[in-house]
Amino acid sequence: QAFPPEIVKRKREDEMMVELKNGPIIRLVGGDNYDSLVGSNVHGIVFSEYAIMDPKAWSLTRPILRENGGWAAFISTPRGYNHFHDLNEMAKRNPQWFSSVMPWQKTKVLTQEDIDEELLSGMPEELVRQEFECDFTAALMGAVYGKEMEYLETEGRLATVPHDPRLPVYTSWDLGIRDARSIWFLQRKGNEIRAIDFYENRGEGLPHHISVVQGKPYTDRRHIAPHDINVREYTSGAQRIDVARSLGINFTVASKLNLEDGINATRTMLPRMSMDKDKCERAINALKQYRREFDDELRVFKQAPVHDWASHPCDALRTAAVAPDDLGIVPDWARDQMTNNPGVGHNGGPPMTDEYDPLSAFR
């Protein structure tokens, strides 16, 4: 439909590709398959519905366009204050970019009667503002942590959160199998939980992520993994928890709760958090974007959130939320006493029997 037969040289339905007689090749690529473009010679990219796309799709392809003197277009419905909003704000300030926001009042495609009919037929006002008025301030429909993230934004909790060397750091993981692996770096001060750093990668194995964690300038770490740390690696057949231990990380396994209980636990924890807006930018955007789809037939939101790029940072934070409260940092002296001298207490104190808990002060 888009390309008249007179200008088409060939089509490849299996590759979703069309080649035109004057040379260009146009190809459709899934938003979750942007890795396939790395190393290619793309001269132009159209990002369709960029607001719900993994922002890494742009980060990894922009060097190709820079080298080729190419171009990019971002077409999307607003979905709240996320990476698309930030990109649009930058484009409005940068003379090298072009930005156009076109609500129905400008396009003249719809009329006020059309909008009124949608409202009368039950379309939520937030969705009308989002879909027809291009309103970035409208709440993301189905956002799982929308209220909590709005609270953190309003309270100034999404700011610069430096590492405090006086406080221990612990990590919280989402492992995945073929998907991305996400890691939060957290510190606790009283009732406050500080997210000082975040890391995510895909296509790399557990050894890579362990080396990244070990390379960070943080000490006295405690590492919390979800229950699937006990599954076996495809390549070696060994359990992941054993592989990690051999590489120098002893994981604590978080409680295995169903998804909804884990989400509720995360909702309880989020208001206590502060997040570094730069180092945790991707994770913050994911928390804002994590959403449930609306079932048009049943007229309700689906129970399970959408599984996309935003799932992995949210799952990693959920790991921390369902971890027992006593997952504090074990001091070196207590760890050494437990592993090397189980019959002698610290500084000649009482032996470590079942009645004596050397970690009680740290729980």
Side-chain angles (χ1 to χ4, degrees):
Q1 292 177 343
F3 306 103
E6 293 79 10
I7 68 171
V8 175
K9 180 179 179 180
R10 66 187 178 111
K11 291 182 180 179
R12 288 290 301 271
E13 297 289 348
D14 57 333
E15 296 183 8
M16 301 185 72
M17 178 269 287
V18 58
E19 182 179 359
L20 306 184
K21 289 182 178 179
N22 63 333
I25 295 175
I26 295 93
R27 185 182 174 200
L28 297 180
V29 178
D32 59 347
N33 194 31
Y34 53 82
D35 283 341
S36 65
L37 297 179
V38 177
S40 64
N41 194 32
V42 179
H43 284 263
I45 303 177
V46 177
F47 295 89
S48 179
E49 293 298 344
Y50 182 66
I52 56 174
M53 190 179 294
D54 187 338
K56 272 192 174 181
W58 170 230
S59 299
L60 294 183
T61 54
R62 62 191 303 176
I64 304 171
L65 301 180
R66 176 67 65 179
E67 181 181 356
N68 291 336
W71 54 268
F74 303 83
I75 305 170
S76 186
T77 301
R79 304 277 181 166
Y81 290 121
N82 62 4
H83 55 281
F84 178 55
H85 169 266
D86 295 341
L87 186 75
N88 184 61
E89 290 298 305
M90 179 279 298
K92 290 193 294 186
R93 299 189 303 267
N94 190 336
Q96 300 297 317
W97 286 66
F98 170 77
S99 169
S100 176
V101 179
M102 299 293 290
W104 69 267
Q105 295 93 335
K106 285 187 178 182
T107 63
K108 307 297 184 182
V109 173
L110 301 174
T111 66
Q112 184 63 56
E113 288 73 20
D114 295 323
I115 303 300
D116 293 340
E117 174 60 28
E118 291 293 348
L119 289 168
L120 286 172
S121 64
M123 189 173 189
E125 181 183 352
E126 295 88 351
L127 197 56
V128 169
R129 290 167 52 198
Q130 175 183 287
E131 296 292 326
F132 298 138
E133 298 181 3
C134 300
D135 188 348
F136 283 97
T137 67
L140 177 62
M141 294 296 296
V144 176
Y145 301 126
K147 292 182 179 178
E148 290 77 14
M149 295 308 294
E150 183 178 359
Y151 171 79
L152 294 183
E153 190 93 56
T154 303
E155 293 295 313
R157 299 284 192 90
L158 307 180
T160 300
V161 184
H163 166 235
D164 188 339
R166 299 169 300 176
L167 299 175
V169 175
Y170 66 97
T171 63
S172 183
W173 296 56
D174 171 60
L175 295 173
I177 298 177
R178 299 177 181 86
D179 293 326
R181 285 188 169 104
S182 302
I183 309 170
W184 288 83
F185 295 81
L186 307 171
Q187 291 187 298
R188 291 181 179 177
K189 185 176 182 180
N191 197 44
E192 181 188 13
I193 300 175
R194 300 174 177 178
I196 62 170
D197 205 347
F198 177 81
Y199 180 77
E200 183 177 276
N201 204 323
R202 72 185 213 174
E204 298 286 352
L206 189 59
H208 165 81
H209 291 80
I210 288 177
S211 68
V212 169
V213 171
Q214 292 171 335
K216 293 283 185 179
Y218 310 138
T219 55
D220 293 325
R221 292 185 290 262
R222 181 86 166 172
H223 311 282
I224 309 170
H227 62 88
D228 56 357
I229 187 68
N230 291 312
V231 304
R232 298 186 180 275
E233 290 281 318
Y234 284 119
T235 53
S236 64
Q239 282 189 317
R240 289 175 173 178
I241 195 168
D242 294 329
V243 172
R245 188 177 294 114
S246 69
L247 295 171
I249 282 188
N250 291 312
F251 275 113
T252 298
V253 182
S255 305
K256 183 178 180 180
L257 300 180
N258 64 51
L259 178 60
E260 197 60 33
D261 288 340
I263 287 174
N264 289 332
T266 307
R267 284 195 178 119
T268 302
M269 184 178 72
L270 275 170
R272 299 161 46 202
M273 295 191 68
S274 298
M275 302 181 185
D276 191 281
K277 61 182 178 61
D278 295 321
K279 292 183 178 180
C280 301
E281 180 182 12
R282 177 176 175 82
I284 291 171
N285 284 333
L287 286 165
K288 292 178 179 179
Q289 192 65 36
Y290 195 48
R291 70 198 193 284
R292 293 183 171 95
E293 280 187 327
F294 191 74
D295 191 315
D296 291 323
E297 294 184 4
L298 299 178
R299 307 298 294 173
V300 295
F301 285 101
K302 297 179 181 178
Q303 188 69 17
V306 176
H307 183 78
D308 59 9
W309 70 272
S311 304
H312 311 297
C314 295
D315 288 346
L317 191 61
R318 180 160 51 88
T319 298
V322 301
D325 289 337
D326 62 349
L327 295 182
I329 303 301
V330 181
D332 290 339
W333 67 263
R335 185 186 299 109
D336 293 341
Q337 291 292 334
M338 291 188 71
T339 56
N340 299 328
N341 299 292
V344 180
H346 179 54
N347 289 336
M352 297 185 185
T353 64
D354 291 339
E355 292 76 27
Y356 176 71
D357 179 7
L359 305 184
S360 59
F362 302 90
R363 294 195 186 281

